Amino acid sequence: MIKVVAVQPHSIGKELGLEPGTELLAVNGRELEDFLDWEFLTADEAFVLHVRRPDGEEIEFEIERPFEEPMGVALEPARIRRCANRCDFCFVDGLPPGLRDVLYIRDDDYRLSFRYGNFATLTNLKAHDIERIIEYRLSPLYVSVHATDPVVRRYLLRNPTAPEIIPQLRRFADHGIQFHTQVVLSPGVNDGAVLRRTLDDLWGFGPAVLSCSVVPVGLTEFSKHHLCREPAMDECRAAVGEAESRWPVAVSARGAHWVYGADELYLRAGLALPPAAAYDGFEQVENGVGAVRWLQQRIASAADGFDDWAGRRIGVVTGTAMAALMPQVLEPLGRATGAEFELVAVENTLFGPSVTTAGLLPGRAIEAALAGRPSLELALLPGEALNDDGLFIDSMSLEQLAAQVPFEIRLSKDFVDALDVPLAA
Ligand code: SF4
């Protein structure tokens, strides 16, 4: 059963009399479990929908609709699948105390992997989940592999019952499912020969494994430092070397570089980022892989559309990780717009300075950093620092922050999205 939380006006759902609180029970006699069932089972042009109205009345509708006309109902959020692992480097363990409860939930959900590209380990799949992945052909899935050696993987996940990943992926691949994969690099555990074997095994899947990223472990002040550590410069260099050594064969055989180091891996290795072409379709940009080159491309492609910015002073808020790379982005942005960009690298006051990502910046740290920049006319904030409810990780809202800052603030994912409207005169 899935509950309706909203119905669009002039939609099929509205015509049927569905309303918030209506329970969607079954489609063509099949019980509905979550949004996946709803989307896949109602994809046909004709189906029978069984509902229970808020007053308890049950009704069956025989629905015929033009292809792809949406039903117009919003569903209650799915209950998130909990993680069965206890990785030493788990981000949840690295959270400071006192945050919103929801932030301490370890999710590991194949449905969100399919829908949003969240990485999942597939260690908590039940037989029913496996059948759904195959039946609905949930592809591509984003999979945290870390190591294909089952002993190493179980150690990394701290899960002695984790199923072996190779047979799991094989079964799905045999049904046409593809994967984007990642290796979170834990030095001394899954680098070196283990990384080599992992990449060999994943490459051996052929086109079923679309990409593999190598991302260095990131820890906070609160992480289990007695159990794991971040990779040193030489270890990051070795991992970059392992990845890049595979490029000639990958490009020749598949027309793509296939294995990609995260920007952070290059940064920690003290190596220059590869050119944009080395990231192919930027498939894992949301995972911090090729983010700088992607931004540069976005700016270059929009360069003709920046009017009204000449001479303006614009602050660009980011975490300390991107601060080192950001000049490579702000320089072409300044040329394209004529504006003066000022980098505002904000240290994370909640997690400690070792947490350098922009997505985890607390609103209060941004407020404090902007307070020292009175000459700015606009500040661009990293869009990923806010959740869907418009809250920073410390529960400060965007409105609260805006009220404290004497100039306009705008959220931005790629700068281009925030510079399409001029400043108010
Ligand atoms: S898979 Fe590991 S890192 Fe991810 S939520 Fe579970 S314990 Fe944490």
Side-chain angles (χ1 to χ4, degrees):
M1 181 276 287
I2 322 168
K3 218 170 236 180
V4 172
V5 292
V7 183
Q8 284 174 6
H10 315 298
S11 65
I12 297 176
K14 192 78 182 173
E15 278 172 33
L16 296 176
L18 306 185
E19 57 186 311
T22 300
E23 294 171 355
L24 307 171
L25 301 176
V27 169
N28 295 335
R30 274 186 64 174
E31 276 183 37
L32 298 172
E33 186 181 319
D34 58 23
F35 67 91
L36 283 180
D37 288 332
W38 175 247
E39 288 172 17
F40 281 88
L41 297 176
T42 62
D44 292 338
E45 288 177 45
F47 55 89
V48 176
L49 172 64
H50 184 184
V51 308
R52 185 186 296 126
R53 292 191 188 283
D55 63 7
E57 183 191 5
E58 292 193 18
I59 308 178
E60 279 197 347
F61 296 106
E62 287 187 19
I63 296 173
E64 282 186 32
R65 60 171 176 167
F67 191 55
E68 288 191 343
E69 186 178 330
M71 291 293 291
V73 297
L75 309 177
E76 66 181 348
R79 241 182 5 168
I80 299 297
R81 297 291 294 272
R82 303 296 173 103
C83 174
N85 314 311
R86 274 287 182 277
C87 308
D88 293 338
F89 52 81
C90 181
F91 178 72
V92 172
D93 290 329
L95 291 173
L99 302 178
R100 298 188 298 281
D101 287 350
V102 68
L103 295 170
Y104 298 100
I105 296 173
R106 292 171 212 258
D107 64 277
D108 193 6
D109 197 320
Y110 68 95
R111 300 168 304 176
L112 305 185
S113 172
F114 168 69
R115 170 52 57 80
Y116 300 114
N118 296 7
F119 278 90
T121 66
L122 310 183
T123 54
N124 57 357
L125 296 186
K126 299 184 173 64
H128 172 64
D129 301 319
I130 293 169
E131 284 163 19
R132 295 181 95 204
I133 291 171
I134 292 169
E135 181 190 354
Y136 293 153
R137 211 173 159 137
L138 303 184
S139 177
L141 289 176
Y142 288 74
V143 182
S144 286
V145 171
H146 302 332
T148 50
D149 180 318
V151 175
V152 177
R153 189 165 192 259
R154 285 178 188 139
Y155 174 83
L156 281 162
L157 299 175
R158 295 279 178 185
N159 182 350
T161 61
E164 290 193 27
I165 190 72
I166 292 281
Q168 252 188 329
L169 296 183
R170 172 58 56 210
R171 181 166 177 195
F172 290 133
D174 286 347
H175 287 85
I177 288 158
Q178 295 180 297
F179 315 96
H180 290 289
T181 60
Q182 75 163 348
V183 170
V184 172
L185 199 72
S186 184
V189 184
N190 64 343
D191 54 355
V194 177
L195 177 62
R196 203 165 306 126
R197 173 177 162 185
T198 299
L199 295 177
D200 285 346
D201 287 343
L202 294 175
W203 176 258
F205 274 90
V209 173
L210 295 163
S211 71
C212 181
S213 61
V214 182
V215 183
V217 152
L219 303 177
T220 80
E221 309 284 294
F222 303 90
S223 298
K224 299 173 179 170
H225 289 270
H226 57 296
L227 293 174
C228 58
R229 64 179 174 86
E230 296 181 340
M233 179 185 273
D234 60 327
E235 292 163 330
C236 292
R237 285 190 174 213
V240 167
E242 182 61 52
E244 291 191 354
S245 70
R246 292 162 186 266
W247 285 358
V249 171
V251 170
S252 142
R254 301 205 188 146
H257 294 72
W258 184 78
V259 54
Y260 311 94
D263 291 8
E264 178 83 14
L265 189 72
Y266 282 88
L267 190 66
R268 290 197 200 179
L271 296 171
L273 295 169
Y279 296 100
D280 304 306
F282 291 96
E283 301 281 10
Q284 293 209 27
V285 70
E286 302 283 348
N287 200 20
V289 180
V292 169
R293 297 299 185 222
W294 181 78
L295 284 169
Q296 290 170 333
Q297 277 201 343
R298 289 280 297 140
I299 292 163
S301 66
D304 294 340
F306 295 124
D307 298 325
D308 308 310
W309 293 104
R312 296 290 201 177
R313 293 181 64 82
I314 304 173
V316 174
V317 172
T318 188
T320 49
M322 278 299 271
L325 299 170
M326 202 51 94
Q328 298 181 50
V329 175
L330 297 188
E331 193 270 327
L333 190 60
R335 263 189 286 116
T337 58
E340 286 178 46
F341 287 92
E342 213 174 282
L343 187 61
V344 184
V346 181
E347 196 171 284
N348 198 312
T349 49
L350 192 61
F351 292 84
S354 64
V355 172
T356 56
T357 175
L360 293 172
L361 284 175
R364 282 178 188 81
I366 297 174
E367 178 191 341
L370 292 178
R373 313 278 180 141
S375 63
L376 292 178
E377 296 170 87
L378 169 70
L380 306 182
L381 312 187
E384 66 272 26
L386 278 113
N387 69 5
D388 291 345
D389 299 324
L391 298 177
F392 292 96
I393 190 121
D394 59 353
S395 295
M396 187 181 207
S397 70
L398 186 63
E399 290 72 27
Q400 286 171 320
L401 175 61
Q404 300 302 321
V405 177
F407 42 81
E408 189 177 340
I409 57 175
R410 293 183 186 178
L411 291 177
S412 173
K413 193 172 171 211
D414 60 10
F415 306 119
V416 175
D417 53 356
L419 298 178
D420 55 349
V421 179
L423 278 179

